[in-house]
Amino acid sequence: MTARARPGASARRRRTATAVRVLPALLLVCLALAGPWLTPHPVDTPVTGPYAPPGAGTPLGGDQLGRDVLSRLLAGGRELVVSSLVVALLVTGGAAVLGAVGALRPAVGRLVERTADLLMLLPAVLGILLVTLSWPDGGRLAVIAAAVGLGVPYAVRLAVSAAAPVAASGYVEAAAAGGERLWHLVVRDVLPNLRATLLALFGLRFVAAVYVVATAGFLQVGPQPPAADWALMIRENGAGILLDPWAVLAPSAAIGLLAMSVNLAAAALAPRTGREAVTAR
Amino acid sequence: MSHRPGRDRDWTTGLPDAPAARVTGLTVTSAAGRHLVREAGLTLRPGRLVALTGPSGSGKTTLLRALTGLLPPGTARTAGHVEVLGHDVLALPQRELRALRRDRLAHVGQDPASGLNPWMRVDSLVRELAADRSTDPVALLDEVRLPDGARLSGRRPGALSGGQQRRVALARALARRPDVLLLDEPTAGLHPGLRDEIGDLLQHLAREHRLAIAFSCHDAGLVGRIADDVVRLGAAVPHRPVTAAGRPPAPPGAGATGATGADGMAGTAAAADTTDTFDTAGASGAAGTAGTASKTSTASTTGTSDTANTTGVPLLAVRDVSVTFGRGAAPVLRDVGLAVAPGTAVGVVGASGCGKTTLARVVVGLQAVTAGSIALDGVPLRPGPRGRAREQRRRVQLVTQNPLGALNPSRTVGDTVGRPLRLHRRRPARQVPARVTELLEQVGLDPEYAGRYPHELSGGQRQRVAVARALAAEPDVLICDEITSALDGGTAEAIMDLLGGLRARHGPALVLISHDLPLVADRTDTVTVLDAGRVVESGRTADVFTAPAHPATAALLSRAVTGR
């Protein structure tokens, strides 16, 4: 009588909704990765006038040297996306393991938290400069190292508090009393039940990583001209923003959209029902 | 307890007998398309107590949740109506549903601890929802038969026993003076005397305050005594014979054979042996257990003193263990001793809150001790799980009181039960699935359950999975902490018969922690009585129960007798 949608149909609809929310991030990341092969013009030779407004062949106009903005936009995302994804993965993974171990072994947990408290005092820009200047040949690796070092302390505090109730739950106690090793407790009992938290954390850390990597690019400690890079484009073309606004707006929008879409995807992938339900004690 | 006057009760003014809630033809389906509740009907009237019974997994919890308008996530109503106080709760806008739940409806779940904020003190927990903020929490605690309310009201839920938490949750529900009270297994985990008191309280609330009460329960005796109407839910999924709906606990022979079935383990002969002793004991009450004890030649020779004085080395020996939570607090356990000889069954009994669970946690190493020692086969065990060898941990297994948190929600039942087999190399990898099937059948679960996740199982089914997991490790000592409190009578008997049968076949020695004295009387050789963290009496079960030397034992016994 008041039959709602059949369960099969509702499950299918839920899957569709998830796919729709994951799609933008997937498209953007793929586009940024494949971008360098799709450029209509070479990224390092002028094809039009400096700060030329959009015209035939150059839909987003030219930059300060007359290079095609669209081509540079397509080519300039790969490194940023790859670095940010690597940073977000390392930060989330590292924090998850440290957090789970910290929750299971209170002595380790106290040490981890106090260390994180100390590292958090370091301002981000200072941290980047410290690492990149003391490791001048590091390039991207130095930026990634700095971003990971800056991100883990924040993430680990969150991971420890999220893991604490799981570590106190009946099934972790049962596994510990049953003879499981610490590593098994972390990987099989604690982390799978933190999926929702960790995915949300991944989204947040990705945004933070984009921010740190872009800051590095803007400060020119990462990629150097004439390389195409979104952050570098914003810096280089700032002077001509009134002549060809697209040269600044397009890379800015790309960075913003990337951050938002990855967060949306992470939220969509987080489990909502049933299995993540954790009963403490 | 005075009920709020001047309440808008349109449903009572005109028609005194108008139903407070009515469920018709309700079918709830999980995301996977299984029916959790099928064609269920139910009518609640003010002043009447309705009991929901049925085997575990028959949808009692889901039906109660449907009445609150909140179905478990991932499930949907596919047919039928749920009407509470004149509203269709499953179609009510969020705002009104919230108002309804806040003011008129109270629901106490199966796991009372999960509904209590661990950081709030008991008095704030009770007062938080009170209709009248000046309510004295201690009076409310008294009302739910929690004496010592004044002492407990400053504690946090973590410092309460399972039974105390349950009563605090009930007090919390009553504090807001609801019109409809929904209780999921309100008496699970309470000893028989208390179970009856809570039953009387419910009856009183229904009669005097015109509350409409629905409660799920698997205690047939209690249901028969206090319920006005009984709604029996059928099994939603095909079950093994042992869990068949409504099988009275009377013929234990049938239960035993059903439990062990034709699965080749725990032979039927062994099960029949325990059945035999059950009959003896059942026929002549506690005195009959003398026969049980003498018949089991392996009975431990623990004397009446609290520390063991066995002739040989006991399998498990706990000596003078004291446990204190926090500095300066009163100890939860004080100089407690326990000895378990190989192949025997030992009972630990005591009123709710006397430290039974803490003792179990000490033995498996989950709780650090302030003083005392634990030895397995004469080898001292470290007082924490980390210092213990894996083999030592395998040999002592615990099945906890609360089955809801005991299973990893991210792993299938088969994975959970199979893990000890792999971890302790009990079976070669190829034989693990077959052994898992065998274990699930032993505890009365369909082998098909191996592919399911814990959230798809009812409380009783989860408890059986926890038992199967403990058995998978093939322990030498199996500690059962109130394991039957979440099971219906028939299943509880079958599980106990299974464990008894295994023990008789050189299986694990049993430590049965319970407040169900008949259960302990029938199935144990020796018994230790705890009271307020101390051992007040211990010795052969028959001796202790026929001639209790301590008033606490006598009190427990008298309650058990009147409770039945």
Side-chain angles (χ1 to χ4, degrees):
Chain A
M1 23 203 267
T2 52
R4 293 190 173 174
R6 290 210 330 280
S10 80
R12 212 172 309 128
R13 205 168 45 231
R14 214 168 33 241
R15 270 201 300 278
T16 316
T18 308
V20 165
R21 300 209 289 164
V22 173
L23 204 63
L26 217 59
L27 273 178
L28 257 178
V29 169
C30 288
L31 196 63
L33 293 183
W37 298 310
L38 303 175
T39 54
H41 299 286
V43 294
D44 45 6
T45 47
V47 293
T48 177
Y51 298 127
T58 55
L60 294 178
D63 71 355
Q64 102 253 37
L65 297 178
R67 295 170 298 195
D68 178 28
V69 170
L70 179 65
S71 300
R72 288 180 67 76
L73 184 70
L74 283 170
R78 185 192 276 177
E79 286 202 38
L80 178 74
V81 168
V82 171
S83 311
S84 303
L85 281 176
V86 167
V87 169
L89 276 175
L90 287 178
V91 168
T92 312
V97 171
L98 279 176
V101 173
L104 289 166
R105 299 279 181 267
V108 179
R110 274 192 295 276
L111 184 72
V112 165
E113 290 197 59
R114 291 298 89 78
T115 315
D117 289 347
L118 268 180
L119 290 178
M120 257 189 254
L121 294 174
L122 189 68
V125 175
L126 197 63
I128 301 169
L129 288 176
L130 260 175
V131 174
T132 49
L133 291 181
S134 60
W135 185 12
D137 304 331
R140 279 286 173 195
L141 286 182
V143 173
I144 290 176
V148 171
L150 289 166
V152 168
Y154 289 92
V156 91
R157 290 303 302 262
L158 208 141
V160 170
S161 20
V166 179
S169 66
Y171 53 90
V172 173
E173 287 197 336
E180 298 287 8
R181 281 181 216 291
L182 176 64
W183 185 243
H184 186 275
L185 292 180
V186 168
V187 175
R188 297 297 301 275
D189 288 314
V190 176
L191 293 187
N193 295 303
L194 290 177
R195 277 167 307 169
T197 314
L198 292 181
L199 271 167
L201 184 62
F202 176 80
L204 286 177
R205 291 331 299 179
F206 181 76
V207 175
V210 168
Y211 163 79
V212 171
V213 175
T215 308
F218 193 81
L219 294 174
Q220 289 194 350
V221 291
Q224 301 296 327
D229 180 272
W230 290 348
L232 211 54
M233 285 170 74
I234 298 172
R235 178 193 166 97
E236 289 172 346
N237 300 326
I241 190 163
L242 292 176
L243 297 167
D244 182 14
W246 291 112
V248 173
L249 289 186
S252 312
I255 294 178
L257 277 178
L258 180 70
M260 284 197 296
S261 60
V262 168
N263 251 327
L264 189 69
L269 288 175
R272 273 174 307 261
T273 55
R275 268 199 275 164
E276 88 278 20
V278 169
T279 322
R281 259 137 116 55
Chain B
M1 148 173 159
S2 67
H3 217 85
R4 237 177 328 181
R7 228 21 233 280
D8 164 37
R9 320 181 140 218
D10 42 352
W11 48 271
T12 52
T13 46
L15 306 154
D17 264 328
R22 192 189 321 205
V23 176
T24 43
L26 180 72
T27 300
V28 176
T29 318
S30 76
R34 268 197 318 277
H35 291 298
L36 299 174
V37 173
R38 187 179 296 175
E39 300 282 322
L42 171 73
T43 306
L44 302 184
R45 289 176 198 281
R48 288 182 82 79
L49 270 166
V50 177
L52 298 177
T53 63
S56 65
S58 60
K60 302 189 286 282
T61 300
T62 313
L63 182 54
L64 285 175
R65 285 194 61 164
L67 278 166
T68 67
L70 284 181
L71 284 172
T75 63
R77 166 182 62 170
T78 41
H81 265 302
V82 180
E83 200 179 280
V84 177
L85 303 170
H87 304 281
D88 180 358
V89 288
L90 292 178
L92 208 60
Q94 272 302 318
R95 219 185 144 74
E96 290 167 43
L97 182 60
R98 225 163 47 220
L100 181 74
R101 285 210 310 265
R102 184 183 60 225
D103 300 332
R104 326 267 309 258
L105 205 67
H107 174 262
V108 180
Q110 204 168 6
D111 177 18
S114 68
L116 302 177
N117 183 338
W119 295 108
M120 287 173 71
R121 291 179 193 283
V122 167
D123 50 357
S124 339
L125 276 170
V126 171
R127 210 168 358 203
E128 182 188 27
L129 296 172
D132 173 12
R133 286 299 164 107
S134 59
T135 310
D136 179 16
V138 177
L140 267 167
L141 293 177
D142 268 346
E143 198 170 359
V144 294
R145 313 297 190 258
L146 200 57
D148 273 357
R151 194 167 58 83
L152 294 176
S153 65
R155 292 200 191 172
R156 297 205 166 83
L160 301 178
S161 75
Q164 288 167 340
Q165 286 174 341
R166 203 168 277 283
R167 278 171 282 166
V168 169
L170 183 58
R172 212 167 118 83
L174 293 177
R176 58 182 130 150
R177 309 288 182 223
D179 297 323
V180 177
L181 184 59
L182 307 170
L183 304 163
D184 200 353
E185 302 284 1
T187 55
L190 300 178
H191 64 74
L194 205 50
R195 213 175 288 171
D196 280 345
E197 285 186 26
I198 294 287
D200 292 340
L201 167 68
L202 293 182
Q203 215 166 16
H204 168 79
L205 288 171
R207 300 283 177 276
E208 303 298 316
H209 303 298
R210 309 287 297 159
L211 253 72
I213 301 180
F215 67 103
S216 67
C217 192
H218 51 241
D219 182 341
L222 184 72
V223 168
R225 204 167 61 76
I226 68 169
D228 299 312
D229 304 302
V230 176
V231 173
R232 188 177 294 283
L233 295 174
V237 284
H239 272 279
R240 310 251 103 200
V242 57
T243 57
R247 189 173 63 75
T257 44
T260 47
D263 52 19
M265 272 303 293
T268 326
D273 187 44
T274 50
T275 306
D276 209 349
T277 63
F278 177 85
D279 279 341
T280 322
S284 52
T289 53
T292 316
S294 57
K295 194 161 118 188
T296 318
S297 55
T298 45
S300 111
T301 50
T302 311
T304 42
S305 77
D306 54 4
T307 46
N309 51 1
T310 47
T311 45
V313 179
L315 180 59
L316 176 77
V318 175
R319 281 194 197 87
D320 302 330
V321 159
S322 297
V323 172
T324 308
F325 292 136
R327 219 160 286 167
V332 179
L333 290 180
R334 203 177 305 177
D335 299 334
V336 170
L338 183 72
V340 182
T344 58
V346 175
V348 176
V349 297
S352 163
C354 71
K356 303 188 294 286
T357 297
T358 307
L359 178 60
R361 289 172 57 85
V362 162
V363 172
V364 294
L366 288 170
Q367 172 67 49
V369 299
T370 339
S373 67
I374 307 133
L376 186 65
D377 263 348
V379 181
L381 292 178
R382 294 281 292 276
R386 256 189 289 164
R388 297 188 182 179
R390 178 171 287 177
E391 179 64 9
Q392 288 176 332
R393 291 192 247 176
R394 176 189 73 76
R395 295 180 59 191
V396 184
Q397 293 284 322
L398 169 69
V399 182
T400 55
Q401 186 174 9
N402 173 9
L404 299 177
L407 304 177
N408 186 336
S410 301
R411 288 162 76 175
T412 61
V413 166
D415 226 4
T416 296
V417 176
R419 179 63 197 165
L421 296 174
R422 296 194 179 89
L423 177 69
H424 301 299
R425 302 209 174 76
R426 294 288 105 188
R427 290 289 184 282
R430 277 175 295 111
Q431 293 173 22
V432 166
R435 175 70 177 143
V436 167
T437 304
E438 201 173 80
L439 283 163
L440 289 181
E441 278 176 349
Q442 273 188 9
V443 295
L445 283 176
D446 198 295
E448 176 231 341
Y449 276 70
R452 296 204 188 165
Y453 287 94
H455 77 270
E456 300 172 86
L457 269 53
S458 74
Q461 289 168 339
R462 287 185 220 189
Q463 186 64 284
R464 280 181 270 170
V465 173
V467 172
R469 173 176 61 188
L471 290 178
E474 296 173 16
D476 293 337
V477 181
L478 182 62
I479 303 170
C480 304
D481 187 2
E482 306 275 9
I483 59 165
T484 53
S485 65
L487 301 174
D488 56 278
T491 312
E493 292 276 341
I495 293 275
M496 292 318 299
D497 289 344
L498 163 72
L499 295 177
L502 283 179
R503 178 172 72 89
R505 294 178 70 249
H506 311 293
L510 293 178
V511 178
L512 298 182
I513 296 180
S514 184
H515 44 238
D516 188 351
L517 291 201
L519 181 113
V520 170
D522 294 344
R523 291 184 167 82
T524 59
D525 307 316
T526 61
V527 67
T528 298
V529 184
L530 286 181
D531 185 49
R534 283 174 185 280
V535 173
V536 292
E537 196 168 352
S538 76
R540 297 221 326 219
T541 308
D543 301 344
V544 171
F545 284 180
T546 43
H550 193 276
T553 318
L556 278 172
L557 277 172
S558 67
R559 267 186 296 200
V561 171
T562 55
R564 284 284 144 151

